[in-house]
Amino acid sequence: MSKTLVNLQNELIAETKKGFPILLSGVLVFLIFTLMYFVLPIEAVRLIWIFGLGAIFPIGMFIGKILGVSLNSTDNPLGILGGIVAAPQAFYIPVFIIVYMKIPEYLPFTIGLLAGSHFLPYIWIYKSKAYLFVTLGTCFSALILGGFFVDFAFTLVPLAISIVYGIGVALIQRELKAKSVSSSAIR
């Protein structure tokens, strides 16, 4: 029997819980980025920003495993699409390196805008307004705080992103609960 797009989306949402463990991981990583500024030299902080982002996915997978959330949905074509949508972030690394070499004070601005924008397709994949909030909140935080308050960007931008991701997790939990309530009401 062939599954409809709606069936595939609902299965992916049920299996991955809309990927919230990845956002939860981002909360932790960006909080650490915020605190690093106060204990490490700025040169180290800048490098950690570039390469520390790579920790978000594996930490998210670990959190997912602890919470019983499967983030690898390889038997669902939309799960594969979600992975494909996330993969281009690897191509951002050269951009981050060039910004680091030429105008390092704009790393939070650049990383926030590019990382935030990559969540946009998840609005459709997961049928989630929470990802619209995450996309806009992350991008506008990076734009305003990283673009206009450059002297404070290495503390304000990661703190703002961490808060946005945390609110995103809460919104996703609310969406999942609402879907669960509506599904059980139908039965």
Side-chain angles (χ1 to χ4, degrees), residues 9 47 59 150:
Q9 282 178 304
L47 282 173
I59 292 170
V150 178

Side-chain angles (χ1 to χ4, degrees), residues 91-123:
F91 295 102
Y92 300 168
I93 294 170
V95 174
F96 300 156
I97 292 170
I98 289 172
V99 170
Y100 166 79
M101 292 180 347
K102 301 293 182 186
I103 44 173
E105 59 273 8
Y106 283 98
L107 271 174
F109 168 83
T110 308
I111 288 172
L113 278 174
L114 291 176
S117 67
H118 107 276
F119 289 113
L120 196 59
Y122 294 103
I123 297 166

Side-chain angles (χ1 to χ4, degrees), residues 3 8 11 15 72-80:
K3 295 180 182 177
L8 291 169
E11 286 176 13
E15 184 178 354
N72 283 336
S73 182
T74 56
D75 56 339
N76 185 323
L78 293 179
I80 295 167

Side-chain angles (χ1 to χ4, degrees), residues 20-134:
F20 85 86
I22 299 295
L23 286 178
L24 203 50
S25 173
V27 169
L28 297 173
V29 169
F30 280 103
L31 272 178
I32 291 168
F33 283 6
T34 303
L35 299 174
M36 284 186 327
Y37 180 81
F38 300 106
V39 295
L40 295 173
I42 191 64
E43 294 79 16
V45 170
R46 291 171 178 161
L47 282 173
I48 293 169
W49 263 74
I50 294 171
F51 298 106
L53 293 170
I56 293 174
F57 183 74
I59 292 170
M61 295 295 285
F62 181 69
I63 291 170
K65 192 170 198 79
I66 290 171
L67 298 175
V69 177
S70 174
L71 296 171
N72 283 336
S73 182
T74 56
D75 56 339
N76 185 323
L78 293 179
I80 295 167
L81 177 62
I84 291 169
V85 165
Q89 290 184 90
F91 295 102
Y92 300 168
I93 294 170
V95 174
F96 300 156
I97 292 170
I98 289 172
V99 170
Y100 166 79
M101 292 180 347
K102 301 293 182 186
I103 44 173
E105 59 273 8
Y106 283 98
L107 271 174
F109 168 83
T110 308
I111 288 172
L113 278 174
L114 291 176
S117 67
H118 107 276
F119 289 113
L120 196 59
Y122 294 103
I123 297 166
W124 180 82
I125 292 171
Y126 290 132
K127 298 191 273 187
S128 174
K129 290 183 177 135
Y131 278 102
L132 177 61
F133 172 80
V134 170

